[in-house]
Amino acid sequence: MKPTTKCSLVAALLSGLLISAAFAQSKTDPVNKFAQMDDLLPTPNEQRTASGAPGNRYWQQRADYDIKVELDDINQRLTASETITYHNNSPDSLSYLWLQLDQNIWAKDSEGLATETAPDFKKLPLSTIEALIAEREF
């Protein structure tokens, strides 16, 4: 086979691969040109348009936080207080608010330590075990 024929054959194979890859990455089904738009886009309503943008009856809740923190470096204490102002922008009244406070999982008396699964120390190298112990002391 001549060198120019080999180059032409390789170029044809590469272009065929590129074309098939382009069709494979298509996001639409070229066979189903008359698919209903409901399958592709959400149904518009008063809160959202068909594109997903906010509609004329869209509202969003808001919470403002005023956090005061005092760091006592001598006694190694952190004292804080917080005021949350919640703005109900909904046309409906709210019968309750859910507020979730998470514990300090790094505290020595934290219940979070009791819920952790112990690692399999047989498979861990000594350096990893030392790092775990140092992390707990932190």
Side-chain angles (χ1 to χ4, degrees):
M1 197 180 276
K2 293 181 182 178
T4 54
T5 309
K6 273 188 180 180
C7 288
S8 299
L9 183 60
V10 169
L13 284 172
L14 283 175
S15 62
L17 285 172
L18 289 173
I19 291 170
S20 66
F23 280 114
Q25 292 179 358
S26 175
K27 299 225 187 283
T28 60
D29 183 6
V31 177
N32 193 1
K33 295 179 183 175
F34 301 103
Q36 295 297 310
M37 293 303 286
D38 306 11
D39 300 337
L40 303 174
L41 297 173
T43 303
N45 57 32
E46 293 179 337
Q47 288 78 30
R48 295 275 182 190
T49 64
S51 69
N56 59 352
R57 302 235 337 144
Y58 175 83
W59 51 266
Q60 189 169 17
Q61 305 294 45
R62 179 177 149 197
D64 295 327
Y65 301 89
D66 182 21
I67 303 171
K68 294 181 178 19
V69 179
E70 182 181 330
L71 178 63
D72 182 357
D73 201 19
I74 295 169
N75 296 315
Q76 296 290 298
R77 291 188 61 132
L78 179 71
T79 308
S81 67
E82 177 178 22
T83 303
I84 302 171
T85 306
Y86 188 83
H87 305 274
N88 179 19
N89 295 320
S90 165
D92 302 320
S93 62
L94 300 176
S95 57
Y96 66 92
L97 289 176
W98 181 275
L99 180 67
Q100 181 172 338
L101 300 174
D102 293 321
Q103 65 175 328
N104 180 1
I105 62 170
W106 299 109
K108 291 187 186 220
D109 59 345
S110 169
E111 292 179 11
L113 296 175
T115 63
E116 289 184 4
T117 304
D120 183 6
F121 289 107
K122 293 176 186 174
K123 297 179 182 178
L124 291 177
L126 182 60
S127 61
T128 305
I129 295 171
E130 289 172 343
L132 288 169
I133 293 169
E135 184 179 296
R136 287 292 175 221
E137 290 174 359
F138 173 80

